[in-house]
Amino acid sequence: MYVRRKKLLAMLYTCVSVAICVSVAIVPALADTVIYCANAYNNNKEVIEFNLDEGTSQKIGDLSFETQAIDLDPTNGILYYFDFRLSGSDELGGFNPTDSTNISVANYPADLPIALKTMAVNEEGDLYLLSNDDILYMIARNNGELSPIG
């Protein structure tokens, strides 16, 4: 067990050290404990799956665009991800880890007044975004509409 844990920590450190921002989503419904890492900066858009029980990792696909935040929706198994850009439009996308397909959810105007701090999905599949000015938004998964809630 110690060797497997040491190997896993080394794999996670590699993912963290390569990425400026690493986002992790935990999948509770699978037989094994699995987490996903979005190593997605500097044109590196890969999604890495870590199997904590087996102590293994593998690249399972690439995101459509670089991301600053990612989380797993436990109701549909989709990894939702968001990118705030200093120039150009912001985007919300989804990634299906089962078949490595990307889903375009929304493109936002370049003047979107939100700088992203983090994103999360609750157990019911509600998607939330926290801005740098600490305003919490709910995001509609079907069209990306942002609704401030606090």
Side-chain angles (χ1 to χ4, degrees):
M1 181 69 166
Y2 175 75
V3 173
R4 189 170 61 205
R5 181 175 294 146
K6 188 173 180 180
K7 179 181 175 185
L8 176 64
L9 289 173
M11 290 185 306
L12 285 171
Y13 176 76
T14 300
C15 185
V16 171
S17 66
V18 172
I20 294 171
C21 175
V22 174
S23 304
V24 175
I26 300 172
V27 183
L30 297 178
D32 288 341
T33 305
V34 174
I35 62 173
Y36 294 106
C37 170
N39 186 4
Y41 268 100
N42 297 325
N43 291 320
N44 183 3
K45 302 171 190 158
E46 60 189 21
V47 178
I48 308 293
E49 178 184 82
F50 292 93
N51 184 314
L52 303 183
D53 295 329
E54 300 293 326
T56 60
S57 67
Q58 64 178 338
K59 177 183 172 183
I60 60 168
D62 291 299
L63 301 175
S64 293
F65 50 87
E66 295 175 348
T67 188
Q68 293 175 289
I70 192 167
D71 203 6
L72 180 78
D73 182 340
T75 65
N76 63 13
I78 301 296
L79 290 161
Y80 287 96
Y81 57 103
F82 186 91
D83 189 29
F84 165 76
R85 297 190 178 112
L86 295 176
S87 63
S89 65
D90 302 330
E91 292 185 68
L92 175 66
F95 178 84
N96 185 335
T98 305
D99 61 10
S100 299
T101 57
N102 282 279
I103 304 158
S104 178
V105 178
N107 285 307
Y108 300 100
D111 61 351
L112 182 71
I114 297 173
L116 175 69
K117 188 180 278 187
T118 191
M119 188 175 71
V121 181
N122 68 13
E123 291 178 3
E124 291 80 35
D126 298 322
L127 184 58
Y128 297 94
L129 180 145
L130 182 64
S131 68
N132 277 346
D133 54 0
D134 293 325
I135 296 174
L136 184 63
Y137 294 85
M138 183 175 235
I139 306 172
R141 291 181 302 175
N142 61 334
N143 63 9
E145 181 181 338
L146 295 166
S147 303
I149 59 173

